[in-house]
Amino acid sequence: QVQLVESGGGLVQAGGSLRLSCGVSGRTFTIDTMGWFRQAPGKEREFVAAVSWTAISTFYTDSVKGRFTVSRDNAKNTVYLQMNSLKPEDTAVYYCAARTYYSTQYYLSGQYNYWGQGTQVTVSS
């Protein structure tokens, strides 16, 4: 089992920044990829970013490239999502997720075995 706990959400004005954290515990040695997803009201959950557990590879959806950065702190077993130049359309509940096997479809939520509880990010205009 893997446990995930997100933190760092909140209310910020457009153009501002937030850093989300995802604390990872349990059988961390089984993890291949960590992902960040988000879900806005009335919309489907969508992929935001992912990082390999080795932190060698990172992936982003086009709408956040150049604004968001995903990273991992090995010593703290924590994955971060640094969000800069936030826009109102970034408003959503953000979830971190872990998957325990490799595939090229890192952007599909169904690929992930474990999920955190989510943290709300609200960007005001």
mmCIF file of all heavy atoms in Angstrom, residues 60-91:
data_model
loop_
_atom_site.group_PDB
_atom_site.id
_atom_site.type_symbol
_atom_site.label_atom_id
_atom_site.label_comp_id
_atom_site.label_asym_id
_atom_site.label_seq_id
_atom_site.Cartn_x
_atom_site.Cartn_y
_atom_site.Cartn_z
ATOM 1 N N TYR A 60 4.152 17.212 -18.835
ATOM 2 C CA TYR A 60 3.179 18.262 -18.546
ATOM 3 C C TYR A 60 2.098 18.298 -19.618
ATOM 4 O O TYR A 60 2.359 18.032 -20.798
ATOM 5 C CB TYR A 60 3.854 19.635 -18.509
ATOM 6 C CG TYR A 60 4.925 19.764 -17.464
ATOM 7 C CD1 TYR A 60 6.261 19.492 -17.766
ATOM 8 C CD2 TYR A 60 4.599 20.156 -16.171
ATOM 9 C CE1 TYR A 60 7.252 19.602 -16.803
ATOM 10 C CE2 TYR A 60 5.583 20.274 -15.200
ATOM 11 C CZ TYR A 60 6.902 19.988 -15.525
ATOM 12 O OH TYR A 60 7.867 20.098 -14.565
ATOM 13 N N THR A 61 0.897 18.677 -19.215
ATOM 14 C CA THR A 61 -0.107 18.985 -20.207
ATOM 15 C C THR A 61 0.221 20.348 -20.806
ATOM 16 O O THR A 61 0.862 21.192 -20.163
ATOM 17 C CB THR A 61 -1.511 18.978 -19.583
ATOM 18 O OG1 THR A 61 -2.492 18.999 -20.603
ATOM 19 C CG2 THR A 61 -1.713 20.151 -18.640
ATOM 20 N N ASP A 62 -0.194 20.562 -22.034
ATOM 21 C CA ASP A 62 0.216 21.766 -22.755
ATOM 22 C C ASP A 62 -0.176 23.050 -22.034
ATOM 23 O O ASP A 62 0.572 24.041 -22.062
ATOM 24 C CB ASP A 62 -0.389 21.764 -24.164
ATOM 25 C CG ASP A 62 0.296 20.771 -25.092
ATOM 26 O OD1 ASP A 62 1.389 20.286 -24.744
ATOM 27 O OD2 ASP A 62 -0.267 20.487 -26.167
ATOM 28 N N SER A 63 -1.329 23.062 -21.394
ATOM 29 C CA SER A 63 -1.833 24.304 -20.803
ATOM 30 C C SER A 63 -1.016 24.788 -19.616
ATOM 31 O O SER A 63 -1.173 25.945 -19.193
ATOM 32 C CB SER A 63 -3.290 24.137 -20.395
ATOM 33 O OG SER A 63 -3.415 23.144 -19.387
ATOM 34 N N VAL A 64 -0.159 23.943 -19.056
ATOM 35 C CA VAL A 64 0.629 24.368 -17.894
ATOM 36 C C VAL A 64 2.125 24.439 -18.191
ATOM 37 O O VAL A 64 2.905 24.867 -17.328
ATOM 38 C CB VAL A 64 0.384 23.455 -16.671
ATOM 39 C CG1 VAL A 64 -1.106 23.321 -16.389
ATOM 40 C CG2 VAL A 64 1.042 22.100 -16.832
ATOM 41 N N LYS A 65 2.532 24.042 -19.375
ATOM 42 C CA LYS A 65 3.959 24.074 -19.721
ATOM 43 C C LYS A 65 4.492 25.497 -19.608
ATOM 44 O O LYS A 65 3.879 26.451 -20.082
ATOM 45 C CB LYS A 65 4.175 23.545 -21.139
ATOM 46 C CG LYS A 65 4.079 22.042 -21.252
ATOM 47 C CD LYS A 65 4.310 21.578 -22.682
ATOM 48 C CE LYS A 65 4.191 20.061 -22.792
ATOM 49 N NZ LYS A 65 4.337 19.588 -24.193
ATOM 50 N N GLY A 66 5.642 25.623 -18.974
ATOM 51 C CA GLY A 66 6.244 26.930 -18.780
ATOM 52 C C GLY A 66 5.750 27.650 -17.542
ATOM 53 O O GLY A 66 6.328 28.666 -17.144
ATOM 54 N N ARG A 67 4.680 27.163 -16.923
ATOM 55 C CA ARG A 67 4.133 27.790 -15.718
ATOM 56 C C ARG A 67 4.257 26.884 -14.493
ATOM 57 O O ARG A 67 4.469 27.359 -13.382
ATOM 58 C CB ARG A 67 2.659 28.147 -15.928
ATOM 59 C CG ARG A 67 2.410 29.111 -17.067
ATOM 60 C CD ARG A 67 0.958 29.602 -17.082
ATOM 61 N NE ARG A 67 -0.002 28.522 -17.274
ATOM 62 C CZ ARG A 67 -0.998 28.250 -16.427
ATOM 63 N NH1 ARG A 67 -1.151 28.965 -15.329
ATOM 64 N NH2 ARG A 67 -1.850 27.267 -16.686
ATOM 65 N N PHE A 68 4.067 25.588 -14.681
ATOM 66 C CA PHE A 68 4.102 24.629 -13.578
ATOM 67 C C PHE A 68 5.379 23.797 -13.658
ATOM 68 O O PHE A 68 5.872 23.495 -14.748
ATOM 69 C CB PHE A 68 2.914 23.672 -13.655
ATOM 70 C CG PHE A 68 1.572 24.285 -13.357
ATOM 71 C CD1 PHE A 68 1.391 25.663 -13.263
ATOM 72 C CD2 PHE A 68 0.462 23.477 -13.171
ATOM 73 C CE1 PHE A 68 0.155 26.219 -12.997
ATOM 74 C CE2 PHE A 68 -0.788 24.002 -12.895
ATOM 75 C CZ PHE A 68 -0.929 25.380 -12.818
ATOM 76 N N THR A 69 5.882 23.406 -12.486
ATOM 77 C CA THR A 69 7.043 22.538 -12.417
ATOM 78 C C THR A 69 6.781 21.428 -11.408
ATOM 79 O O THR A 69 6.436 21.721 -10.255
ATOM 80 C CB THR A 69 8.302 23.313 -12.013
ATOM 81 O OG1 THR A 69 8.532 24.382 -12.935
ATOM 82 C CG2 THR A 69 9.521 22.397 -11.990
ATOM 83 N N VAL A 70 6.967 20.195 -11.838
ATOM 84 C CA VAL A 70 6.818 19.055 -10.940
ATOM 85 C C VAL A 70 8.202 18.567 -10.551
ATOM 86 O O VAL A 70 9.120 18.528 -11.376
ATOM 87 C CB VAL A 70 5.979 17.932 -11.601
ATOM 88 C CG1 VAL A 70 6.644 17.396 -12.860
ATOM 89 C CG2 VAL A 70 5.709 16.807 -10.600
ATOM 90 N N SER A 71 8.362 18.230 -9.265
ATOM 91 C CA SER A 71 9.660 17.775 -8.787
ATOM 92 C C SER A 71 9.464 16.810 -7.626
ATOM 93 O O SER A 71 8.367 16.689 -7.079
ATOM 94 C CB SER A 71 10.516 18.968 -8.354
ATOM 95 O OG SER A 71 9.903 19.657 -7.286
ATOM 96 N N ARG A 72 10.557 16.155 -7.251
ATOM 97 C CA ARG A 72 10.496 15.202 -6.146
ATOM 98 C C ARG A 72 11.704 15.388 -5.251
ATOM 99 O O ARG A 72 12.830 15.553 -5.740
ATOM 100 C CB ARG A 72 10.474 13.776 -6.687
ATOM 101 C CG ARG A 72 10.476 12.729 -5.592
ATOM 102 C CD ARG A 72 10.487 11.334 -6.108
ATOM 103 N NE ARG A 72 10.776 10.444 -4.983
ATOM 104 C CZ ARG A 72 11.773 9.593 -4.959
ATOM 105 N NH1 ARG A 72 12.560 9.463 -6.005
ATOM 106 N NH2 ARG A 72 11.971 8.830 -3.904
ATOM 107 N N ASP A 73 11.477 15.364 -3.952
ATOM 108 C CA ASP A 73 12.544 15.420 -2.955
ATOM 109 C C ASP A 73 12.714 14.007 -2.405
ATOM 110 O O ASP A 73 11.878 13.518 -1.648
ATOM 111 C CB ASP A 73 12.177 16.408 -1.848
ATOM 112 C CG ASP A 73 13.302 16.582 -0.845
ATOM 113 O OD1 ASP A 73 14.023 15.599 -0.563
ATOM 114 O OD2 ASP A 73 13.453 17.698 -0.328
ATOM 115 N N ASN A 74 13.813 13.366 -2.792
ATOM 116 C CA ASN A 74 14.022 11.974 -2.381
ATOM 117 C C ASN A 74 14.096 11.834 -0.867
ATOM 118 O O ASN A 74 13.546 10.897 -0.290
ATOM 119 C CB ASN A 74 15.308 11.439 -3.010
ATOM 120 C CG ASN A 74 15.192 11.260 -4.496
ATOM 121 O OD1 ASN A 74 14.098 11.373 -5.065
ATOM 122 N ND2 ASN A 74 16.291 11.005 -5.159
ATOM 123 N N ALA A 75 14.804 12.743 -0.237
ATOM 124 C CA ALA A 75 15.027 12.629 1.203
ATOM 125 C C ALA A 75 13.723 12.748 1.989
ATOM 126 O O ALA A 75 13.564 12.130 3.042
ATOM 127 C CB ALA A 75 16.015 13.686 1.659
ATOM 128 N N LYS A 76 12.805 13.539 1.480
ATOM 129 C CA LYS A 76 11.555 13.780 2.200
ATOM 130 C C LYS A 76 10.395 12.938 1.679
ATOM 131 O O LYS A 76 9.284 13.031 2.208
ATOM 132 C CB LYS A 76 11.182 15.265 2.100
ATOM 133 C CG LYS A 76 12.179 16.196 2.772
ATOM 134 C CD LYS A 76 11.722 17.645 2.676
ATOM 135 C CE LYS A 76 12.688 18.572 3.376
ATOM 136 N NZ LYS A 76 12.267 19.988 3.286
ATOM 137 N N ASN A 77 10.641 12.153 0.628
ATOM 138 C CA ASN A 77 9.556 11.384 0.000
ATOM 139 C C ASN A 77 8.355 12.276 -0.283
ATOM 140 O O ASN A 77 7.199 11.950 0.064
ATOM 141 C CB ASN A 77 9.129 10.202 0.869
ATOM 142 C CG ASN A 77 9.913 8.941 0.531
ATOM 143 O OD1 ASN A 77 10.660 8.912 -0.447
ATOM 144 N ND2 ASN A 77 9.757 7.919 1.338
ATOM 145 N N THR A 78 8.638 13.396 -0.882
ATOM 146 C CA THR A 78 7.603 14.385 -1.177
ATOM 147 C C THR A 78 7.701 14.795 -2.641
ATOM 148 O O THR A 78 8.802 14.971 -3.163
ATOM 149 C CB THR A 78 7.748 15.623 -0.286
ATOM 150 O OG1 THR A 78 7.658 15.218 1.083
ATOM 151 C CG2 THR A 78 6.663 16.647 -0.576
ATOM 152 N N VAL A 79 6.547 14.931 -3.264
ATOM 153 C CA VAL A 79 6.467 15.411 -4.633
ATOM 154 C C VAL A 79 5.809 16.788 -4.607
ATOM 155 O O VAL A 79 4.850 17.004 -3.864
ATOM 156 C CB VAL A 79 5.661 14.444 -5.515
ATOM 157 C CG1 VAL A 79 5.520 14.978 -6.935
ATOM 158 C CG2 VAL A 79 6.334 13.071 -5.540
ATOM 159 N N TYR A 80 6.341 17.696 -5.403
ATOM 160 C CA TYR A 80 5.859 19.073 -5.406
ATOM 161 C C TYR A 80 5.281 19.440 -6.780
ATOM 162 O O TYR A 80 5.709 18.914 -7.814
ATOM 163 C CB TYR A 80 6.995 20.041 -5.085
ATOM 164 C CG TYR A 80 7.643 19.798 -3.746
ATOM 165 C CD1 TYR A 80 8.852 19.111 -3.650
ATOM 166 C CD2 TYR A 80 7.042 20.266 -2.576
ATOM 167 C CE1 TYR A 80 9.450 18.884 -2.429
ATOM 168 C CE2 TYR A 80 7.636 20.044 -1.346
ATOM 169 C CZ TYR A 80 8.834 19.355 -1.277
ATOM 170 O OH TYR A 80 9.420 19.128 -0.056
ATOM 171 N N LEU A 81 4.357 20.361 -6.749
ATOM 172 C CA LEU A 81 3.880 20.994 -7.973
ATOM 173 C C LEU A 81 3.951 22.499 -7.743
ATOM 174 O O LEU A 81 3.123 23.061 -7.023
ATOM 175 C CB LEU A 81 2.461 20.564 -8.321
ATOM 176 C CG LEU A 81 1.942 21.101 -9.659
ATOM 177 C CD1 LEU A 81 2.721 20.477 -10.824
ATOM 178 C CD2 LEU A 81 0.443 20.824 -9.821
ATOM 179 N N GLN A 82 4.970 23.113 -8.301
ATOM 180 C CA GLN A 82 5.122 24.574 -8.220
ATOM 181 C C GLN A 82 4.301 25.191 -9.337
ATOM 182 O O GLN A 82 4.531 24.891 -10.515
ATOM 183 C CB GLN A 82 6.586 24.969 -8.356
ATOM 184 C CG GLN A 82 6.821 26.472 -8.345
ATOM 185 C CD GLN A 82 6.499 27.107 -7.010
ATOM 186 O OE1 GLN A 82 6.847 26.590 -5.970
ATOM 187 N NE2 GLN A 82 5.800 28.248 -7.056
ATOM 188 N N MET A 83 3.360 26.038 -8.964
ATOM 189 C CA MET A 83 2.445 26.639 -9.935
ATOM 190 C C MET A 83 2.650 28.145 -9.952
ATOM 191 O O MET A 83 2.405 28.818 -8.946
ATOM 192 C CB MET A 83 1.000 26.289 -9.582
ATOM 193 C CG MET A 83 0.754 24.793 -9.438
ATOM 194 S SD MET A 83 -0.980 24.392 -9.171
ATOM 195 C CE MET A 83 -1.253 25.136 -7.571
ATOM 196 N N ASN A 84 3.118 28.668 -11.068
ATOM 197 C CA ASN A 84 3.349 30.104 -11.241
ATOM 198 C C ASN A 84 2.408 30.652 -12.300
ATOM 199 O O ASN A 84 1.825 29.904 -13.087
ATOM 200 C CB ASN A 84 4.797 30.352 -11.653
ATOM 201 C CG ASN A 84 5.789 29.882 -10.615
ATOM 202 O OD1 ASN A 84 5.517 29.898 -9.415
ATOM 203 N ND2 ASN A 84 6.964 29.452 -11.070
ATOM 204 N N SER A 85 2.282 31.968 -12.321
ATOM 205 C CA SER A 85 1.434 32.644 -13.315
ATOM 206 C C SER A 85 0.054 32.000 -13.385
ATOM 207 O O SER A 85 -0.464 31.697 -14.470
ATOM 208 C CB SER A 85 2.105 32.604 -14.700
ATOM 209 O OG SER A 85 3.382 33.208 -14.658
ATOM 210 N N LEU A 86 -0.528 31.807 -12.225
ATOM 211 C CA LEU A 86 -1.813 31.110 -12.163
ATOM 212 C C LEU A 86 -2.912 31.915 -12.851
ATOM 213 O O LEU A 86 -2.925 33.149 -12.826
ATOM 214 C CB LEU A 86 -2.180 30.821 -10.719
ATOM 215 C CG LEU A 86 -1.429 29.633 -10.106
ATOM 216 C CD1 LEU A 86 -1.480 29.668 -8.591
ATOM 217 C CD2 LEU A 86 -2.012 28.324 -10.629
ATOM 218 N N LYS A 87 -3.841 31.171 -13.436
ATOM 219 C CA LYS A 87 -4.968 31.746 -14.161
ATOM 220 C C LYS A 87 -6.274 31.253 -13.532
ATOM 221 O O LYS A 87 -6.305 30.179 -12.928
ATOM 222 C CB LYS A 87 -4.921 31.307 -15.627
ATOM 223 C CG LYS A 87 -3.631 31.636 -16.343
ATOM 224 C CD LYS A 87 -3.632 31.070 -17.757
ATOM 225 C CE LYS A 87 -2.333 31.377 -18.484
ATOM 226 N NZ LYS A 87 -2.338 30.815 -19.861
ATOM 227 N N PRO A 88 -7.350 31.991 -13.700
ATOM 228 C CA PRO A 88 -8.636 31.526 -13.150
ATOM 229 C C PRO A 88 -9.014 30.132 -13.636
ATOM 230 O O PRO A 88 -9.627 29.358 -12.888
ATOM 231 C CB PRO A 88 -9.624 32.585 -13.643
ATOM 232 C CG PRO A 88 -8.800 33.831 -13.748
ATOM 233 C CD PRO A 88 -7.454 33.363 -14.230
ATOM 234 N N GLU A 89 -8.624 29.793 -14.844
ATOM 235 C CA GLU A 89 -8.958 28.459 -15.368
ATOM 236 C C GLU A 89 -8.158 27.336 -14.721
ATOM 237 O O GLU A 89 -8.414 26.165 -14.975
ATOM 238 C CB GLU A 89 -8.784 28.409 -16.888
ATOM 239 C CG GLU A 89 -7.452 28.926 -17.392
ATOM 240 C CD GLU A 89 -7.527 30.374 -17.840
ATOM 241 O OE1 GLU A 89 -8.150 31.198 -17.133
ATOM 242 O OE2 GLU A 89 -6.926 30.681 -18.911
ATOM 243 N N ASP A 90 -7.198 27.685 -13.875
ATOM 244 C CA ASP A 90 -6.472 26.665 -13.106
ATOM 245 C C ASP A 90 -7.237 26.261 -11.847
ATOM 246 O O ASP A 90 -6.826 25.327 -11.146
ATOM 247 C CB ASP A 90 -5.093 27.179 -12.693
ATOM 248 C CG ASP A 90 -4.183 27.411 -13.882
ATOM 249 O OD1 ASP A 90 -4.151 26.571 -14.800
ATOM 250 O OD2 ASP A 90 -3.483 28.453 -13.883
ATOM 251 N N THR A 91 -8.331 26.946 -11.563
ATOM 252 C CA THR A 91 -9.130 26.630 -10.388
ATOM 253 C C THR A 91 -9.680 25.217 -10.470
ATOM 254 O O THR A 91 -10.314 24.838 -11.456
ATOM 255 C CB THR A 91 -10.292 27.630 -10.252
ATOM 256 O OG1 THR A 91 -9.765 28.930 -10.011
ATOM 257 C CG2 THR A 91 -11.216 27.235 -9.100
#
